[in-house]
Amino acid sequence: MQRGRPRIFEEEQALDAALGVFWRRGYQGASLAELTQAMGVSKPSLYAAFGNKEQLYLAALERYREQQLTRHAEALAAEPDLEKAMRRFLRSIARMVTAPELPGGCMVVNSAVSCDIATLPRRVIAAIGETVDQSSFGLLKQRLQKELQQRNLPGDAPVEQLADYFTAIMCGIAVMAKVGVTEQRLFEVIEHALCALPHVR
């Protein structure tokens, strides 16, 4: 039986290259020409390996979650003290969005703010929403609910509003980094944001 034609490029490396383009340009800002050039592939090779642009973005977003977002979740889970955990979590994000070797900002936020999100494919919108929930709102809500159950927060602590607030802080940090705000300045923003955590009296 004749074997299929072998891939002439390394798919993981090509996906990492696509991730870099989507991270810098957002979904709509990334053209197929820019993607294929960065990936070092032809359009037919891209379609054969990854499908269309939408499928490529979804694969790149999953790669982004695995490579970048899991470390933030680990930072939040590793520290038993809530305030210290939140500090580690938010600083982990601040380091990522300002890292000189990375494209800058947050891939999800860049895609959301660089276009009319209503014009994005429904699967892309759903994947962005799922990523925000898994990496910020849902993650924070889960930790805050745990602290509430353990009575480390006041019984009337507004868990969902706090999760929303710190999700907004994360998005703001990403946008500030994109326009050149330094890591140290973001750390100072984080310290002020942590004052919103209620304490048991």
Side-chain angles (χ1 to χ4, degrees):
M1 183 175 180
Q2 187 176 6
R3 292 184 178 181
R5 188 176 178 182
R7 297 270 191 247
I8 58 172
F9 62 93
E10 175 55 55
E11 287 189 11
E12 287 195 356
Q13 291 178 359
L15 185 57
D16 285 340
L19 167 57
V21 175
F22 284 127
W23 194 335
R24 287 190 302 273
R25 308 278 289 166
Y27 177 80
Q28 288 183 326
S31 67
L32 280 175
E34 188 175 8
L35 287 164
T36 53
Q37 182 177 8
M39 296 166 73
V41 302
S42 64
K43 286 184 182 179
S45 294
L46 185 154
Y47 294 138
F50 299 105
N52 58 21
K53 178 183 174 182
E54 178 182 328
Q55 292 169 311
L56 177 60
Y57 180 85
L58 295 175
L61 183 58
E62 182 60 31
R63 186 86 164 163
Y64 177 71
R65 290 179 185 175
E66 293 170 358
Q67 291 183 340
Q68 302 296 335
L69 302 187
T70 54
R71 73 182 67 177
H72 309 322
E74 289 167 359
L76 185 65
E79 172 58 57
D81 180 81
L82 176 60
E83 184 173 332
K84 291 178 180 178
M86 293 293 291
R87 181 177 290 108
R88 288 183 63 173
F89 175 66
L90 293 170
R91 284 189 170 194
S92 177
I93 294 164
R95 290 188 186 98
M96 180 194 76
V97 298
T98 57
E101 71 275 13
L102 296 176
C106 166
M107 179 181 173
V108 174
V109 173
N110 290 354
S111 289
V113 302
S114 64
C115 65
D116 177 4
I117 199 163
T119 64
L120 292 175
R122 278 186 285 183
R123 288 178 64 197
V124 170
I125 295 173
I128 288 174
E130 181 182 326
T131 301
V132 170
D133 184 65
Q134 291 181 354
S135 65
S136 54
F137 178 79
L139 194 66
L140 292 166
K141 182 180 175 182
Q142 184 179 28
R143 176 61 191 260
L144 291 166
Q145 284 178 329
K146 178 183 175 183
E147 297 292 329
L148 189 63
Q149 290 165 1
Q150 294 177 345
R151 300 185 179 181
N152 296 326
L153 287 173
D156 59 351
V159 167
E160 290 200 5
Q161 289 87 343
L162 285 168
D164 274 334
Y165 171 74
F166 284 105
T167 299
I169 293 296
M170 290 169 58
C171 294
I173 283 172
V175 173
M176 291 173 74
K178 191 72 174 173
V179 296
V181 174
T182 65
E183 178 188 280
Q184 183 55 45
R185 190 171 159 195
L186 294 180
F187 282 3
E188 292 169 4
V189 170
I190 289 165
E191 290 307 309
H192 287 288
L194 291 172
C195 294
L197 285 174
H199 296 88
V200 177
R201 290 185 174 84

